Amino acid sequence: MMSKPHYQQISDSIEAQIRSGALIANSKLPSERQLSEAFATTRVTLREALSRLEGKGLIYRANRRGWYITQGRINYDPTQRLPFNEVISGQGRQPYTRVLAQQLAPTKPDIHQALGLAPLSPIHRVRRLRSVDGHPVLLEENHMNPAYFPGLEKQDLGQSLTRLFEQQYQVRIATMELNMYPVALDPERAQALGMASGGAALFISRLSRDQGGRVIELDWEYWRHDALNIQLAV
């Protein structure tokens, strides 16, 4: 019987430590130099083992800070327009939202087209970083038709936009069009999520209509690939 390749032996060993609870969520792995010495291997072989674990969603690489054990995945149903805070706190986790930017200005042609707005017309754009237990997991970019949300820039944009739409503007999201696929993060988005450029993420695009059938919002979500368990009720 052939023995396993060395990189697989290393990844199996580290995985066993993670699954046993000996290595806990958010704890940092020893440096690559220390791990190479511990397993008597080369950096190349070690990185192959670490990449294998990263692919399984068991560890993640924080840009310039090393390798960490991932948290448990979040159960998430993208077809349900539930507020992020409610989804996360409902699973016994601690949510946090940081508003990175907001502006009222023209943007890319495909966004204007999706919202049914004329070229160069202003669009409300909000960029937010969502975290779970202090760990960034989601970069969210919201694009909204300003005709339906006057004065939005004066509101608290760290709260649930879904609830804000309902309570301040009497606009309720009735239907959504979803697209989901894996992407490699560009340097700016990767940096926001604490990842290396080119890191894997799940992209979710959500085009929302209100109770009258009007397109009101285009939401782009960039989730860390190790953060989610997609769970649909059908």
Side-chain angles (χ1 to χ4, degrees), residues 4-22:
K4 294 180 181 179
H6 198 193
Y7 74 86
Q8 189 173 346
Q9 295 177 36
I10 296 169
S11 67
D12 287 351
S13 176
I14 296 174
E15 180 175 350
Q17 295 290 323
I18 295 171
R19 297 198 184 280
S20 72

Side-chain angles (χ1 to χ4, degrees), residues 54 56-61 68 70-74 135-137 195 200 223-229:
E54 184 182 30
K56 289 184 175 182
L58 295 174
I59 65 173
Y60 67 93
R61 180 169 46 192
Y68 291 78
T70 59
Q71 307 172 95
R73 293 178 183 267
I74 303 156
H135 176 46
V137 297
M195 299 173 64
W223 288 87
R224 291 187 63 113
H225 83 284
D226 53 15
L228 285 182
N229 173 46

Side-chain angles (χ1 to χ4, degrees), residues 7-231:
Y7 74 86
Q8 189 173 346
Q9 295 177 36
I10 296 169
S11 67
D12 287 351
S13 176
I14 296 174
E15 180 175 350
Q17 295 290 323
I18 295 171
R19 297 198 184 280
S20 72
L23 295 173
I24 61 174
N26 291 328
S27 64
K28 185 179 181 181
L29 285 174
S31 69
E32 290 188 6
R33 178 184 60 79
Q34 292 171 316
L35 287 172
S36 296
E37 292 173 355
F39 286 104
T41 192
T42 65
R43 288 282 186 95
V44 172
T45 299
L46 175 69
R47 285 172 181 165
E48 191 168 359
L50 295 175
S51 295
R52 181 183 176 90
L53 293 169
E54 184 182 30
K56 289 184 175 182
L58 295 174
I59 65 173
Y60 67 93
R61 180 169 46 192
N63 200 20
R64 297 189 181 90
R65 292 190 289 119
W67 293 90
Y68 291 78
I69 311 302
T70 59
Q71 307 172 95
R73 293 178 183 267
I74 303 156
N75 293 323
Y76 181 61
D77 184 348
T79 67
Q80 301 295 313
R81 189 57 166 164
L82 295 175
F84 176 84
N85 287 354
E86 294 178 20
V87 171
I88 303 308
S89 59
Q91 296 178 46
R93 311 284 288 275
Q94 183 64 43
Y96 178 72
T97 298
R98 180 160 65 99
V99 178
L100 301 178
Q102 73 85 22
Q103 64 180 153
L104 181 60
T107 184
K108 298 177 181 178
D110 56 337
I111 297 175
H112 285 265
Q113 184 176 7
L115 292 175
L117 296 174
L120 302 182
S121 58
I123 289 176
H124 275 306
R125 299 164 62 200
V126 180
R127 197 163 185 258
R128 305 186 297 178
L129 186 65
R130 321 299 290 267
S131 300
V132 176
D133 300 334
H135 176 46
V137 297
L138 164 64
L139 181 64
E140 186 176 33
E141 300 172 7
N142 302 86
H143 314 86
M144 292 150 285
N145 187 332
Y148 307 139
F149 307 107
L152 182 69
E153 68 278 2
K154 300 176 183 177
Q155 302 288 340
D156 173 13
L157 300 176
Q159 64 176 301
S160 163
L161 294 183
T162 300
R163 296 289 181 253
L164 179 64
F165 294 166
E166 295 172 350
Q167 296 167 6
Q168 294 294 326
Y169 298 99
Q170 290 71 56
V171 173
R172 179 177 58 83
I173 294 174
T175 62
M176 296 180 293
E177 296 175 15
L178 288 172
N179 283 289
M180 295 185 290
Y181 49 87
V183 296
L185 292 171
D186 60 60
E188 183 182 7
R189 292 186 174 104
Q191 183 178 20
L193 286 167
M195 299 173 64
S197 178
L202 177 66
F203 174 67
I204 301 177
S205 173
R206 183 186 287 105
L207 187 69
S208 300
R209 289 181 168 83
D210 69 1
Q211 57 271 39
R214 304 176 302 180
V215 176
I216 58 170
E217 181 193 20
L218 176 62
D219 178 21
W220 289 348
E221 298 179 355
Y222 296 86
W223 288 87
R224 291 187 63 113
H225 83 284
D226 53 15
L228 285 182
N229 173 46
I230 298 294
Q231 193 174 58

